[in-house]
Amino acid sequence: MLKVTFTVDEQTVNTLKRIATRLNKPQSVIFREAIRHYSEHADQLSPEERDRMLAVVDRIMARKPTRRDAEVAAELAAVRAARKTGGRRTRVA
């Protein structure tokens, strides 16, 4: 393990000591567990971000389609057929 130094406010230190005492664990263990817990949730969207993104999806879904279903199906079929051919036949510069 590496030894590092952090500067934190008094309230954080008191919280760390209180939790360590209550759980009967060293403060370093509490700190590592807190960082591990934080890292598991750091990539999740905040409630505000989630609501904003869902609102965008709702707006998109509410719009009327700009093309007929047959046109979309034909384009998808063309894309799928192109993927089955194995890629480009000529080099791209």
Side-chain angles (χ1 to χ4, degrees):
M1 295 227 189
L2 298 175
K3 191 170 207 169
V4 296
T5 303
F6 291 98
T7 303
V8 295
D9 59 84
E10 191 173 332
Q11 181 181 0
T12 303
V13 172
N14 293 336
T15 302
L16 176 61
K17 287 179 180 179
R18 188 181 75 249
I19 294 170
T21 301
R22 186 168 48 92
L23 297 178
N24 196 27
K25 293 182 179 181
Q27 292 177 26
S28 59
V29 171
I30 300 300
F31 185 80
R32 282 194 300 273
E33 289 175 355
I35 294 296
R36 202 171 302 121
H37 176 76
Y38 187 86
S39 71
E40 291 170 1
H41 298 91
D43 292 332
Q44 294 179 353
L45 297 175
S46 70
E48 295 81 18
E49 291 172 316
R50 181 181 174 276
D51 291 344
R52 185 179 53 79
M53 293 181 96
L54 287 173
V56 170
V57 171
D58 287 343
R59 283 197 310 270
I60 291 170
M61 296 300 289
R63 292 192 310 197
K64 294 188 180 209
T66 57
R67 299 188 293 172
R68 296 187 338 250
D69 287 347
E71 292 175 31
V72 174
E75 182 177 346
L76 289 174
V79 168
R80 289 183 182 119
R83 288 182 178 167
K84 291 179 182 178
T85 62
R88 297 181 187 265
R89 297 208 167 138
T90 58
R91 272 190 101 107
V92 175

